[in-house]
Amino acid sequence: MKKLSVLFLIVMVSLVSFAVKLTFWTAPNAFQEEFWKTVVTQWNKLRPDIQIEVQTIPAAGSSEEAILSAIAAGNAPDFSENIFSGFAAQLAEIGAIYAFDNFGADFQKLIETRKMKSIMESWKIKGRYYVFPIYSNPMIFWWRGDILKNLGYKEPPRTYSEIYEVSKKFADGKKNFTMQVISGRNWWDRWFDFITYYYAATGGKPYIDVEKRKVNFGDEAGKAITQFIYTMFQNKWTAVELGTNPFYNGTILAKITGPWEVNWAKETFPKVVPNIWFSAPPVPDNYPKDKPIYTFADTKGLVIYSTCKDKKAAFEFISWVFSNVQNDVLWIEKTQMPPAREDLTTNPAFAKFMNDKFFKAYASFVPYAVPPALIDKTIDLQQAMTTHLIEPLMYLKGKPEDILSKAVKEINKILF
């Protein structure tokens, strides 16, 4: 018996000695770190042959900057999360990440098990899958239902004309404004205004033709959105500066936001929260009533780097985590963010979360939430959108169609 015990110990020590040791970088977010440390601890106990160390993405100007610096210095992690689609396209372009479809049937089985087949199609980069999306935060509008009720409405406005109608009843151009139409002047703010509006107006059509490297939003949908933004500023139904917490103070009726604001809102403005209504982004008047409205997905995923010491081992861990629906339940409990799954509203495992009106609202939009364009010039492109499209519309610097036409030309120069 003693000999068997000694032999077992020798085998275990040998396994640990020859274990694959992989480094995984997680987002600089305490809730996500907690999730990953929990599942990695479980894994490391189960698999002494594949040991994983969790580290936070190093502090830098951005996660993207930290990762690019690590790649250039030759000390990239084996795999990491916190990758948005445009950054993934950039990494794929320089050969820095490994395609998941190299794992063949095992990868396809994982996609089917996690119910994310349609979601994966939005992540294709030149016909290949380089990213495994973890979560999807659909951007939806919050409305002050209490104020809308007082104005005689039973539901939020759906179209541009309906918003104009509400504006005439509520906005005075001095203290009261209808909604926050533009999210800000940072390059990433374009995801939460013009790009969201474009997905809504087109049924999820890409705003960039990645293969031809040209913009698509010079079309009729783009013209309608441009006119909508211009009209809201021209009539002073919105403004460049709306003050502090305008939605909660009742200065505006609506704002666009993601699920990250839910807990803060509940803690900070508990009296307002019960009165919040939800809606999809507004659409042009001719958008079919029976067609679902798409929106932008603030969504990020996981990649395996080309320099990974053991790609198969990394995939084994990824597959182990995401083949188990209870890990997605744990993800929601830790982060409050909807997993990138198409069965959130139908899978019994998530039923308990549907009692929360916020989570239920966001979960219902996950199948219609589209990630950013898979383009390697995301920042340049969206800075140009700010300069040539958004700011001229905000300050009424010309006719809407002329502003759009000029912006399209300038952005195409960057893309091509």
Side-chain angles (χ1 to χ4, degrees):
M1 196 65 191
K2 278 186 177 180
K3 285 183 179 179
L4 282 172
S5 298
V6 171
L7 184 61
F8 176 76
L9 282 171
I10 291 169
V11 170
M12 289 304 292
V13 169
S14 299
L15 278 171
V16 173
S17 300
F18 294 102
V20 175
K21 294 178 181 176
L22 302 177
T23 302
F24 174 70
W25 280 5
T26 180
N29 175 299
F31 303 112
Q32 286 170 249
E33 285 179 46
E34 193 177 336
F35 168 81
W36 285 111
K37 285 177 180 175
T38 301
V39 294
V40 165
T41 298
Q42 293 171 8
W43 169 269
N44 285 345
K45 287 178 181 176
L46 289 169
R47 295 293 300 268
D49 57 321
I50 303 172
Q51 292 291 286
I52 294 166
E53 181 185 2
V54 179
Q55 296 177 4
T56 307
I57 294 174
S62 66
S63 293
E64 293 79 21
E65 186 181 317
I67 289 167
L68 287 172
S69 296
I71 291 169
N75 54 15
D78 294 290
F79 58 131
S80 82
E81 63 161 352
N82 213 35
I83 307 296
F84 80 86
S85 53
F87 186 45
Q90 184 179 350
L91 292 175
E93 188 71 26
I94 61 175
I97 50 178
Y98 186 75
F100 278 95
D101 40 282
N102 286 317
F103 299 110
D106 290 338
F107 177 58
Q108 291 303 322
K109 184 182 177 184
L110 175 58
I111 290 172
E112 289 168 16
T113 301
R114 201 179 181 231
K115 309 297 181 189
M116 55 192 303
K117 200 170 182 181
S118 297
I119 289 171
M120 287 303 303
E121 291 307 301
S122 301
W123 285 85
K124 263 187 180 177
I125 301 172
K126 295 183 178 177
R128 305 204 67 183
Y129 301 105
Y130 289 92
V131 188
F132 185 83
I134 297 173
Y135 65 85
S136 180
N137 289 327
M139 299 305 297
I140 62 177
F141 273 79
W142 292 11
W143 290 84
R144 287 293 300 263
D146 50 343
I147 301 174
L148 283 175
K149 272 185 183 177
N150 290 338
L151 293 172
Y153 295 95
K154 294 181 180 179
E155 59 185 11
R158 177 178 173 274
T159 66
Y160 300 157
S161 286
E162 288 173 10
I163 288 176
Y164 300 157
E165 181 189 308
V166 172
S167 299
K168 290 170 185 175
K169 294 182 180 180
F170 178 76
D172 60 17
K174 295 174 183 177
K175 290 183 178 179
N176 294 333
F177 302 89
T178 309
M179 61 193 292
Q180 184 176 2
V181 174
I182 298 301
S183 293
R185 291 190 179 89
N186 297 302
W187 65 265
W188 57 80
D189 288 318
R190 302 296 70 80
W191 287 331
F192 311 120
D193 46 51
F194 194 92
I195 291 169
T196 292
Y197 299 142
Y198 190 76
Y199 281 153
T202 62
K205 176 183 171 182
Y207 54 98
I208 302 293
D209 186 324
V210 175
E211 289 185 10
K212 294 180 180 177
R213 295 189 74 85
K214 66 172 189 172
V215 301
N216 286 332
F217 55 77
D219 59 5
E220 290 305 310
K223 290 174 185 175
I225 296 161
T226 304
Q227 183 63 57
F228 166 66
I229 295 170
Y230 187 90
T231 300
M232 293 299 288
F233 279 99
Q234 184 184 40
N235 289 288
K236 297 183 180 179
W237 294 333
T238 190
V240 175
E241 299 295 337
L242 293 166
T244 306
N245 296 323
F247 177 76
Y248 301 99
N249 295 331
T251 303
I252 61 172
L253 294 176
K255 65 176 291 185
I256 189 169
T257 192
W260 53 78
E261 190 163 334
V262 174
N263 286 343
W264 177 84
K266 288 177 178 178
E267 291 171 11
T268 315
F269 297 97
K271 292 182 180 178
V272 174
V273 165
N275 299 313
I276 294 174
W277 292 355
F278 307 106
S279 82
V283 292
D285 296 358
N286 62 356
Y287 193 87
K289 286 187 178 179
D290 59 347
K291 189 176 178 182
I293 299 174
Y294 285 73
T295 188
F296 172 78
D298 169 58
T299 177
K300 290 185 178 178
L302 188 153
V303 298
I304 297 174
Y305 293 94
S306 300
T307 52
C308 176
K309 291 186 285 292
D310 190 327
K311 300 174 182 68
K312 185 175 180 293
F315 179 72
E316 278 188 50
F317 169 73
I318 294 164
S319 187
W320 175 82
V321 173
F322 294 106
S323 292
N324 184 349
V325 70
Q326 290 307 316
N327 285 329
D328 276 325
V329 170
L330 179 67
W331 172 269
I332 298 169
E333 289 171 348
K334 297 290 186 187
T335 70
Q336 304 299 308
M337 295 190 288
R341 302 179 60 117
E342 291 149 18
D343 64 344
L344 290 175
T345 58
T346 57
N347 192 319
F350 306 115
K352 63 181 180 180
F353 300 111
M354 296 305 155
N355 294 325
D356 184 305
K357 71 171 187 177
F358 288 92
F359 188 85
K360 186 177 182 180
Y362 281 102
S364 69
F365 275 96
V366 168
Y368 310 109
V370 187
L374 294 154
I375 193 80
D376 55 355
K377 291 182 180 278
T378 298
I379 296 174
D380 293 343
L381 182 154
Q382 291 178 205
Q383 283 176 337
M385 286 179 74
T386 303
T387 303
H388 301 293
L389 180 59
I390 298 303
E391 289 183 348
L393 288 173
M394 289 165 67
Y395 295 108
L396 311 174
K397 300 289 186 182
K399 296 178 181 177
E401 277 202 35
D402 294 340
I403 292 170
L404 178 63
S405 178
K406 183 183 176 184
V408 167
K409 288 175 185 174
E410 292 298 328
I411 296 165
N412 278 337
K413 287 178 189 175
I414 293 168
L415 287 172
F416 194 68

